């Protein structure tokens, strides 16, 4: 048993060594982090970074996160580190926290989409850290998925979607956190939460006090991870529906993304349970894989249960809302509009428009689902 573990370790070491060489030579490598898989290139090589945009089909106005293996590497990238950012870095690095700070001139514009700021994080996954150290350069890496789709949380997800378009895929198993990093910007008047993620907002606020939350409506295209529609499967998703207003009888294939063990499963074509015991961390870790499984079943509709917006629940609901926005569903599935409610257990004000999700979809009806 131990011998086999050693063999795997040696094989992984060889692959990391090879991956680092590819990065140094200007190639692109998919690698695991504790949040999701990233697609990385030398952050100081604009041509290599341009290939990431090409492979992902990502618009050039969407800046990338630069990954470092040591907080000291920030010196190569940013002009200054405000004291609140410093405190968070001390507490959460390595880990799923990204800080957006004023950049140094030598950081290529393609990485930051021409912004005066750069997003930086130090991942916790040993393979990621090892790769950055051996490549001996900061690694610019978005999530390793086609633009707009769900982030990959296994090497298999990356293989399915980007496969031979990347130079190498490092397999570090499933990502333990499962949702992307929390992004905080320190360039506004106070710290601003751009994206809820793997570090809980409550933990951040316990260290630096109240944080302003960026709203979907105020978001600029400079941060498309915060675009209204993002992290989306092909199948339409609806959150907070009422059973009475969904037509289960038309022979339609409807799937359920359930937070805990659901009571009545019979009417669904397939049910994915995020966490039987209702644990938000476990639910986050399973979120993207569960949605991918549902998305692979050619369903007409996915109904996604809301989770409490505390801890990791904030990131889960953020991703579900974005996945569900701006889609068009078959009007025969919806008998009537149903207003989207904020979570009853939310300790935060509802930050998004209360306009009906189903309403918006049926109003904008353009294509029939069901492929
Ligand atoms: O967990 C994560 O953060 C993963 C892993 C691979 O590290 N990465 C990730 O990258 O989610 P990506 O590119 O999928 O999302 C990064 C988000 C985008 O929404 C981008 O717009 C935003 O970060 N971003 C990057 N640089 C920024 C900047 N200078 N100002 C504001 N937003 C920025
Ligand atoms: Mg992404």
């Amino acid at each position: 048993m131990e011998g086999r573990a050693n063999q795997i370790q040696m094989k992984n070491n060889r692959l990391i060594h090879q991956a680092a060489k590819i990065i140094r030579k200007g190639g692109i490598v998919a690698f695991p982090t504790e949040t999701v898989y990233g697609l990385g290139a030398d952050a100081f090589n604009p041509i290599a970074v341009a290939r990431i945009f090409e492979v992902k089909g990502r618009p050039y106005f969407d800046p990338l996160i630069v990954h470092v293996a040591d907080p000291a590497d920030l010196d190569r990238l940013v002009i200054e580190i405000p004291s609140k950012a410093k405190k968070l870095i001390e507490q959460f690095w390595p880990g799923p926290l990204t800080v957006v700070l004023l950049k140094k001139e030598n950081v290529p514009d393609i990485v930051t989409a021409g912004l005066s700021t750069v997003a930086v994080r130090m991942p916790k996954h040993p393979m990621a850290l090892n790769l950055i150290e051996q490549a001996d350069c900061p690694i610019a890496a978005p999530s390793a998925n086609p633009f707009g789709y769900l982030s990959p949380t296994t090497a298999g997800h990356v293989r399915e979607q980007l496969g031979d378009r990347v130079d190498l895929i490092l397999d570090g198993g499933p990502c333990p956190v499962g949702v992307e990093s929390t992004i905080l910007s320190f360039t506004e008047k106070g710290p601003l939460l751009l994206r809820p993620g793997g570090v809980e907002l409550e933990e951040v606020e316990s260290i630096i006090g109240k944080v302003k939350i960026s709203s979907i409506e105020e978001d600029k295209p400079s941060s498309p991870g915060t675009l209204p529609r993002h992290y989306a499967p092909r199948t339409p998703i609806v959150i907070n529906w009422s059973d009475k207003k969904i037509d289960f009888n038309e022979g339609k294939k409807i799937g359920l993304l359930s937070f805990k063990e659901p009571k009545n499963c019979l009417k669904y074509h397939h049910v994915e349970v995020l966490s039987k015991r209702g644990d938000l961390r476990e639910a986050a870790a399973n979120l993207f894989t569960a949605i991918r499984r549902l998305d692979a079943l050619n369903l007409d509709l996915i109904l996604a249960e809301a989770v409490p917006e505390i801890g990791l629940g904030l990131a889960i609901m953020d991703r579900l809302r974005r996945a569900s926005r701006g889609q068009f569903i078959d009007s025969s599935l919806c008998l009537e509009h149903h207003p989207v409610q904020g979570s009853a257990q939310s300790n935060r004000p509802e930050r998004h428009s209360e306009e009906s999700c189903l309403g918006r979809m049926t109003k904008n009806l353009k294509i029939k689902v069901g492929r």
Side-chain angles (χ1 to χ4, degrees):
M1 200 62 181
E2 205 173 284
R4 178 149 168 72
N6 277 342
Q7 269 177 5
I8 293 173
Q9 189 56 48
M10 273 162 60
K11 185 178 165 217
N12 280 343
N13 287 345
R14 265 202 313 277
L15 284 170
I16 295 169
H17 187 73
Q18 194 188 336
K21 219 161 142 184
I22 292 172
I23 298 258
R24 279 200 303 275
K25 286 189 170 165
I28 58 173
V29 168
F31 62 98
T33 80
E34 73 282 16
T35 56
V36 300
Y37 275 71
L39 180 59
D42 176 354
F44 287 115
N45 182 338
I47 295 170
V49 173
R51 225 183 110 204
I52 293 179
F53 283 88
E54 225 172 89
V55 166
K56 271 186 65 99
R58 181 174 174 119
Y60 284 95
F61 60 73
D62 188 359
L64 305 183
I65 295 175
V66 177
H67 297 68
V68 295
D70 188 319
D73 293 341
L74 268 174
D75 282 350
R76 294 180 69 188
L77 301 164
V78 307
I79 294 172
E80 55 171 2
I81 312 170
S83 66
K84 286 186 175 179
K86 233 177 237 162
K87 279 187 191 162
L88 293 180
I89 287 168
E90 275 165 22
Q91 183 70 27
F92 297 115
W93 281 15
L97 175 81
T98 296
V99 290
V100 175
L101 304 170
L102 282 175
K103 78 168 187 109
K104 280 194 170 153
E105 214 163 292
N106 58 338
V107 181
D109 276 343
I110 190 165
V111 172
T112 62
L115 296 173
S116 57
T117 55
V118 62
V120 191
R121 89 175 187 97
M122 177 178 171
K124 195 173 186 171
H125 199 292
M127 259 191 178
L129 289 170
N130 207 335
L131 173 68
I132 304 164
E133 269 161 17
Q134 289 197 41
D136 201 23
C137 60
I139 293 184
S143 50
N145 52 281
F147 182 70
Y149 196 69
L150 302 161
S151 298
T153 50
T154 67
H157 294 163
V158 183
R159 237 173 267 126
E160 276 161 30
Q161 292 196 297
L162 301 181
D164 51 6
R165 307 192 66 202
V166 307
D167 297 322
L168 188 85
I169 300 172
L170 288 175
D171 189 343
C175 302
V177 175
V179 287
E180 304 82 351
S181 59
T182 300
I183 307 181
L184 281 164
S185 163
F186 289 88
T187 53
E188 313 283 323
K189 279 189 188 137
L192 178 70
L193 179 76
L194 292 181
R195 178 177 75 183
V199 169
E200 297 174 1
L201 181 60
E202 294 89 334
E203 290 182 278
V204 167
E205 290 187 331
S206 74
I207 292 168
I208 59 166
K210 211 73 193 149
V211 166
K212 199 173 160 244
I213 299 176
S214 148
S215 76
I216 283 183
E217 286 70 24
E218 285 167 26
D219 281 334
K220 310 280 183 302
S222 61
S223 220
T226 55
L227 277 176
R229 177 165 156 78
H230 210 76
Y231 311 110
R234 287 176 298 269
T235 318
I237 286 199
V238 167
I239 336 169
N240 287 340
W241 69 100
S242 153
D243 270 5
K244 277 187 273 172
K245 288 161 188 168
I246 300 284
D247 191 352
F248 287 96
N249 302 315
E250 278 285 307
K252 301 282 189 224
K253 282 165 49 177
I254 298 180
L256 176 70
L257 183 69
S258 175
F259 173 37
K260 301 180 203 172
E261 194 77 81
K263 288 194 185 79
N264 176 6
C265 302
L266 289 177
K267 58 191 170 199
Y268 298 106
H269 184 79
H270 183 80
V271 177
E272 285 287 332
V273 180
L274 291 178
S275 169
K276 277 188 182 170
R277 55 199 164 100
D279 178 80
L280 287 166
R281 282 190 180 274
E282 186 181 28
N286 290 329
L287 180 70
F288 289 146
T289 297
I291 300 178
R292 273 173 191 267
R293 273 199 217 111
L294 287 163
D295 203 23
L297 296 174
N298 275 322
L299 301 171
D300 296 297
L301 181 66
I302 299 170
L303 298 176
E305 218 170 70
V307 307
E309 284 190 78
I310 46 171
L312 267 277
L314 198 60
I316 295 174
M317 286 309 292
D318 172 80
R319 305 305 186 269
L320 287 179
R321 284 202 180 93
R322 290 179 208 284
S324 73
R325 271 187 151 76
Q327 298 181 90
F328 307 112
I329 67 168
D330 186 337
S331 59
S332 71
L333 286 163
C334 312
L335 303 177
E336 227 182 284
H337 296 175
H338 176 64
V340 177
Q341 305 296 334
S343 161
Q345 290 167 70
S346 170
N347 64 346
R348 301 230 138 233
E350 176 62 26
R351 288 180 292 117
H352 309 285
S353 144
E354 291 285 321
E355 190 190 342
S356 159
C357 189
L358 287 180
R360 197 188 340 246
M361 288 171 179
T362 49
K363 258 189 287 173
N364 295 327
L365 185 69
K366 277 204 180 138
I367 48 168
K368 292 257 181 194
V369 283
R371 289 177 292 275

